[in-house]
Amino acid sequence: MEFYFDAGQAGGKNLLLLHGTGGDEHSLVDIARFLDGSCRILSFRGEVEEEGMNRFFKRNGLNQFDLDSLEAETDHLYEEIKRLSAEKGVAEADWVLVGYSNGANIGLHLLLERQTKLSGGIFFHPMSLGVHTNQAPLRDKRVWLSHGSGDPIVSQGAFDELVTPLEQRGAAVTLFNSQQGHAITMPELNSARAWLYTPNT
């Protein structure tokens, strides 16, 4: 997979970036540096193309997901994460995933449906993909999620359907709710940054 890497500075957070539809490996870099100016960055470009736009897995229309593509691309992404973690000398558990929309969806699918050492992350405007096959505990996961009641893509129901299994399986879940749409807003960024620096309990 195409990716961008920045070693950052000593003591910085390790942020693993997953862009939204139409983005690339550079789309969330400024957001990462807002979250932590010293951060190490590993940012991927989705390999699925939809009408010239990069995505992490196929869909057959708005919110109509190709589940075969989802599973294959999730496995591929995880293999790349493991490979580059070893290459760059970063423990898998030390990454904080930072995903937006399509990238948030595949990042959370990875946490929910695969056995990984990944510890969690920040997810802007994710939704349930309707897959609930893994029931393993998530007590070692910590996630921050945002949703806007004015979001034309992510309904309240689709967001709630994502939150419920995270909470039921023991993940530490922090929610940011607003009346905004699908775009990332400054109040969200400030909340996510505060969460990033909150010690694990």
Side-chain angles (χ1 to χ4, degrees):
M1 296 180 76
E2 294 291 328
F3 67 91
Y4 168 80
F5 180 76
D6 183 335
Q9 301 174 28
K13 301 289 186 180
N14 300 299
L15 303 184
L16 195 156
L17 312 184
L18 302 168
H19 64 76
T21 299
D24 61 24
E25 65 271 31
H26 302 288
S27 297
L28 298 180
V29 169
D30 286 346
I31 283 176
R33 290 180 176 145
F34 175 83
L35 295 173
D36 176 14
S38 300
C39 65
R40 176 183 283 116
I41 294 172
L42 175 59
S43 182
F44 289 98
R45 181 194 302 179
E47 293 192 318
V48 170
E49 185 175 308
E50 178 186 284
E51 298 180 353
M53 298 182 295
N54 300 316
R55 282 180 56 84
F56 284 99
F57 57 91
K58 295 178 184 177
R59 61 181 174 180
N60 303 312
L62 184 62
N63 298 342
Q64 298 177 37
F65 306 115
D66 185 320
L67 298 184
D68 289 338
S69 173
L70 170 65
E71 300 303 340
E73 295 299 331
T74 299
D75 287 339
H76 181 44
L77 173 63
Y78 187 38
E79 288 304 313
E80 288 294 282
I81 290 172
K82 289 188 288 187
R83 180 180 70 83
L84 286 165
S85 295
E87 179 181 303
K88 304 300 183 183
V90 180
E92 189 180 324
D94 289 344
W95 290 114
V96 178
L97 302 180
V98 179
Y100 168 53
S101 193
N102 178 240
N105 290 343
I106 197 169
L108 281 161
H109 188 71
L110 179 55
L111 294 181
L112 283 160
E113 293 294 319
R114 301 294 186 273
Q115 299 296 113
T116 81
K117 297 178 182 178
L118 296 167
S119 59
I122 292 168
F123 301 98
F124 298 100
H125 303 277
M127 66 186 298
S128 172
L129 302 178
V131 180
H132 306 288
T133 63
N134 188 358
Q135 298 300 318
L138 296 173
R139 288 185 290 273
D140 61 335
K141 312 300 183 191
R142 179 173 173 261
V143 296
W144 178 100
L145 313 174
S146 69
H147 178 255
S149 61
D151 193 327
I153 297 173
V154 182
S155 69
Q156 187 66 55
F159 183 69
D160 292 344
E161 187 182 337
L162 171 67
V163 173
T164 297
L166 286 166
E167 293 181 334
Q168 288 179 341
R169 291 167 58 187
V173 180
T174 298
L175 302 179
F176 179 91
N177 292 292
S178 74
Q179 297 180 330
Q180 303 303 311
H182 199 64
I184 298 174
T185 66
M186 188 55 68
E188 284 177 89
L189 291 173
N190 286 327
S191 174
R193 183 167 63 177
W195 175 90
L196 186 62
Y197 283 95
T198 301
N200 296 347
T201 56

